Amino acid sequence: MAINNWYKDKVFYQIWPRSFKDGNGDGMGDLYGVYEKLDYIKSLGCDGIWFSPLYPSPGIDCGYDISDYMNIAEEFGGMDAFKKVLDGAHERGMKVIMDLVVNHTSDQHEWFQKSRRRIEPYTDYYIWRPAKPNGKLPNNWDSLFEGKAWAWDEVRGEYYMHLFAIQQADLNMDNPLVREEVKKILRFWLDMGVDGFREDVITFISKPEGLPDDKLMPASKGIFMFNHGPHLHEYLEEFHRDVFSKYDCMTLAESPLVTPKKALEYIDENNNPVLDMFIQFETQEADSFMTDYYHMPFNLRKLKRSYTKWQEKLDGKGWNMLYIENHDHPRMVSRYGSERFQKESGKMLAVSYLFQKGTPFIYQGQEIGMTNWYPSDPEMYEDVQTRWQYFNVATKKSPEKRLKRLWDGSRDSARTPVQWSAEENAGFTTGTPWFYINENYKDINVADQEKDENSVLNFYRRAIKLRKELSSVKNGNYKEHGKMSSSFYTYSREDDREKLLIVCSFTEKTKKWSVPAGFDLASAELLLSNYDKLDGTTLKPYETRVYRWTK
Ligand code: NOJ
């Protein structure tokens, strides 16, 4: 657990290494590029970095298929480049957290290679099952990425479980030797000076005894069986007891479908917490059903219900992790905001979450309001999950409709390289980029926004600075107002020194806002807004304002 809960004062920046910045001209983002940009990240007001996986990997799932946990991939610059970045970040007062991906490994990992050959002690490192006499799979669970959750291994003559891609084999966490391996990995990085971990789908690591069929879920079978499994708490407690409690580090657990009640079983500060924070998915689901792939019209009330629920339910007990974007979801300006009002909605979206209680994370490119990518051909997609959905899932929809679905739902929509300038390849690389650059880089890029006081980038800087200065943002009371509105999200924060009122318009229309009772705007100080001129309580498209009353 982090001493003094230092993570509560931080603003994190997420780096998805392949697309952040190429420093050696080979077309792939790397740690040389990160080193060049440390001051930039710091200049945003961010004082923490989360690295998506940097480890050696065949790259089937862009690094989430790890083949060596205690090393840094050569393509990212290897261990020397990492240590330089780690020191550079620490010198600037920034924390660094790594991605811990231990629900599964790559099938190229030495453990898997030995396990499939039954070489001890690796025989039971994975979840192996023989074929059933009736030719059926060991159970009816689905993989979240590719077909069923089982793949046949010719070498061993058995099936292994893969909840994600076929080349991502699930570890058998019930084997104490596997848990010891996890602890070794944790100690290795913590001893090097890393400040914590974002734990990839960590709530999937304990599978139920006997791996029973899922008899309830019509789609995506299994998720309710293996999410928050029977020994999850016990294993997390063990990692906490044996490793985390001995370091000044933070832990952030990724968990699809987690509710505040469930989260508190692990993060309640008054009840022996085994984790610090959760990445919840609910706030991503205001325009989709369970996954981004099942896209629906954006519903602000759904989003607000979720924001408020997490703010209220964790209050005084657990700590929220706040985010609107990461590498697994399409860009927010294109979803909850508007590309037509890219600048306005990019700024409004920042305010919608940066003044809530919790630790905010900003995903690379979000700070300039990057938008979705619209390839003309499905073959241009790289992401394993996206490709499976398009090429393997039978549907009667036309190819055009299916392509449109990818535009709205694919993870690749947010994985194009960061747009650093209007120069060739958006200034991302001097070589040939590993992936497509969003065509709008001449209009949306860091260099131009640096020069513009009114840019989304400089707005983020102001908002983060304010967030750090305002006492009520850290610990003040949160209250939502005008819950029934489907145009405005209004919330207040209050402590014994000040009261804030925050309004965010989520509509392209100019509309009258009803100021909540008890807030007299005439005596308020306007701290932040995204329009030069205000028109009373009539809000322009995607307008946002932050007001303060000092006590
Ligand atoms: C969640 C990660 O964020 C995602 O990118 C990855 O594909 C899956 N877990 C599997 O590791």
Side-chain angles (χ1 to χ4, degrees):
M1 247 29 331
I3 299 173
N4 299 329
N5 296 331
W6 52 255
Y7 59 88
K8 293 189 176 176
D9 294 311
K10 299 278 168 199
V11 177
F12 275 83
Y13 189 84
Q14 184 197 346
I15 293 185
W16 195 73
R18 288 179 168 219
S19 285
F20 181 66
K21 175 80 176 90
D22 176 16
N24 68 355
D26 67 356
M28 176 74 83
D30 53 35
L31 288 158
Y32 312 117
V34 173
Y35 190 77
E36 272 174 44
K37 297 294 179 190
L38 284 177
D39 285 328
Y40 167 78
I41 299 170
K42 178 87 192 171
S43 80
L44 301 172
C46 291
D47 39 20
I49 297 177
W50 154 26
F51 278 110
S52 276
L54 290 163
Y55 318 97
S57 155
I60 298 291
D61 185 19
C62 294
Y64 281 89
D65 48 324
I66 297 171
S67 52
D68 179 359
Y69 286 93
M70 296 200 245
N71 217 331
I72 296 288
E74 278 310 313
E75 67 191 11
F76 295 140
M79 202 52 111
D80 289 347
F82 177 71
K83 287 191 175 151
K84 204 170 155 199
V85 165
L86 183 62
D87 289 346
H90 285 163
E91 278 158 22
R92 290 165 177 79
M94 299 158 93
K95 302 281 187 185
V96 173
I97 66 167
M98 302 291 271
D99 221 306
L100 176 76
V101 189
V102 292
N103 175 67
H104 43 268
T105 74
S106 159
D107 63 353
Q108 298 307 304
H109 195 290
E110 188 194 338
W111 301 339
F112 187 84
Q113 291 302 321
K114 291 192 167 154
S115 191
R116 71 185 338 180
R117 294 182 174 83
R118 297 175 200 264
I119 298 173
E120 289 304 346
Y122 301 100
T123 312
D124 291 328
Y125 266 41
Y126 294 85
I127 305 177
W128 294 101
R129 289 292 180 276
K132 285 189 170 174
N134 58 7
K136 283 203 177 152
L137 295 174
N139 71 17
N140 69 352
W141 298 359
D142 290 318
S143 151
L144 276 80
F145 283 1
E146 293 185 291
K148 302 307 282 182
W150 297 96
W152 179 254
D153 184 52
E154 285 295 343
V155 178
R156 174 143 166 167
E158 283 191 309
Y159 285 102
Y160 65 88
M161 182 185 287
H162 67 93
L163 294 182
F164 292 90
I166 293 165
Q167 297 87 342
Q168 288 170 302
D170 276 54
L171 281 165
N172 173 15
M173 206 57 77
D174 295 333
N175 181 344
L177 295 178
V178 172
R179 302 203 296 280
E180 287 310 315
E181 298 279 9
V182 172
K183 292 181 220 170
K184 261 195 243 164
I185 296 165
L186 297 175
R187 290 190 193 104
F188 176 82
W189 293 105
L190 291 167
D191 286 339
M192 194 183 293
V194 155
D195 303 292
F197 294 90
R198 174 266 188 189
E199 304 182 357
D200 189 69
V201 288
I202 199 72
T203 53
F204 290 4
I205 61 172
S206 165
K207 279 70 174 178
E209 185 86 38
L211 308 178
D213 274 347
D214 184 344
K215 302 218 165 66
L216 295 174
M217 275 296 278
S220 200
K221 284 198 185 306
I223 186 146
F224 288 106
M225 318 280 294
F226 56 71
N227 200 10
H228 295 278
H231 300 288
L232 177 64
H233 196 279
E234 183 187 323
Y235 298 159
L236 293 178
E237 196 165 36
E238 181 179 329
F239 297 150
H240 176 68
R241 183 194 64 216
D242 294 353
V243 186
F244 295 128
S245 62
K246 304 191 179 348
Y247 295 83
D248 183 15
C249 65
M250 70 160 250
T251 49
L252 167 64
E254 186 202 29
S255 176
L257 302 169
V258 69
T259 59
K261 186 160 174 259
K262 213 26 163 185
L264 284 170
E265 291 175 16
Y266 303 87
I267 63 170
D268 190 338
E269 292 166 12
N270 314 312
N271 194 14
N272 303 318
V274 294
L275 292 166
D276 292 318
M277 292 179 282
F278 268 90
I279 303 180
Q280 48 89 355
F281 280 58
E282 264 180 19
T283 47
Q284 291 292 328
E285 290 163 7
D287 65 352
S288 56
F289 176 68
M290 280 179 67
T291 88
D292 299 312
Y293 192 57
Y294 298 104
H295 195 75
M296 299 189 311
F298 170 61
N299 180 336
L300 176 63
R301 279 166 62 182
K302 197 170 168 199
L303 178 68
K304 297 197 297 182
R305 270 200 302 278
S306 166
Y307 275 154
T308 297
K309 178 166 88 185
W310 280 87
Q311 288 289 302
E312 290 178 353
K313 294 261 158 82
L314 295 199
D315 193 35
K317 297 183 187 146
W319 196 250
N320 267 295
M321 177 272 192
L322 311 169
Y323 76 109
I324 54 172
E325 290 192 4
N326 68 29
H327 64 294
D328 285 334
H329 307 282
R331 294 284 185 183
M332 269 302 168
V333 165
S334 309
R335 296 174 56 196
Y336 299 178
S338 152
E339 292 180 8
R340 208 172 126 223
F341 293 96
Q342 181 263 347
K343 214 168 154 177
E344 293 79 3
S345 67
K347 294 175 184 177
M348 180 281 290
L349 287 162
V351 173
S352 70
Y353 85 111
L354 281 177
F355 292 87
Q356 290 184 25
K357 185 170 182 171
T359 298
F361 281 61
I362 294 169
Y363 174 58
Q364 63 188 38
Q366 178 192 323
E367 75 279 17
I368 55 168
M370 277 179 66
T371 60
N372 279 351
W373 169 65
Y374 302 103
S376 53
D377 181 346
E379 283 296 350
M380 292 163 81
Y381 282 95
E382 157 80 23
D383 173 33
V384 55
Q385 183 188 30
T386 309
R387 294 188 68 86
W388 178 270
Q389 279 158 345
Y390 188 89
F391 294 106
N392 299 73
V393 179
T395 157
K396 292 202 179 78
K397 289 198 171 23
S398 68
E400 293 74 34
K401 281 211 171 119
R402 290 166 62 208
L403 181 61
K404 161 89 173 62
R405 187 172 248 199
L406 299 190
W407 289 351
D408 292 337
S410 170
R411 308 192 294 178
D412 278 345
S413 295
R415 292 181 172 186
T416 54
V418 171
Q419 296 162 203
W420 292 104
S421 72
E423 291 176 7
E424 203 182 350
N425 298 324
F428 163 70
T429 179
T430 51
T432 307
W434 77 277
F435 197 41
Y436 299 91
I437 311 267
N438 192 318
E439 284 168 9
N440 64 15
Y441 71 93
K442 294 210 163 126
D443 301 321
I444 302 173
N445 64 67
V446 173
D448 288 350
Q449 295 199 18
E450 286 285 5
K451 289 180 243 148
D452 174 5
E453 229 352 80
N454 285 320
S455 62
V456 180
L457 175 63
N458 281 317
F459 187 89
Y460 261 91
R461 289 187 171 123
R462 282 198 289 280
I464 294 170
K465 185 160 179 282
L466 268 179
R467 159 177 185 102
K468 296 206 164 185
E469 287 166 3
L470 297 168
S471 63
S472 62
V473 177
K474 182 168 176 196
N475 277 321
N477 181 45
Y478 165 98
K479 191 168 185 318
E480 190 195 334
H481 306 270
K483 290 189 182 182
M484 299 311 281
S485 169
S486 29
S487 303
F488 303 120
Y489 172 39
T490 309
Y491 63 104
S492 58
R493 305 295 315 275
E494 180 169 7
D495 67 4
D496 49 4
R497 287 157 64 180
E498 65 188 16
K499 189 158 83 170
L500 302 180
L501 183 66
I502 296 117
V503 59
C504 298
S505 164
F506 277 79
T507 169
E508 295 202 1
K509 297 194 188 104
T510 295
K511 258 188 129 167
K512 190 106 187 131
W513 166 53
S514 345
V515 181
F519 292 85
D520 172 20
L521 294 191
S523 60
E525 187 188 347
L526 179 71
L527 297 179
L528 192 65
S529 85
N530 57 348
Y531 280 88
D532 285 345
K533 289 202 185 73
L534 306 192
D535 180 10
T537 55
T538 300
L539 266 56
K540 299 195 189 68
Y542 298 98
E543 183 161 345
T544 184
R545 302 177 187 177
V546 179
Y547 289 103
R548 171 170 63 176
W549 293 261
T550 311
K551 293 188 178 169

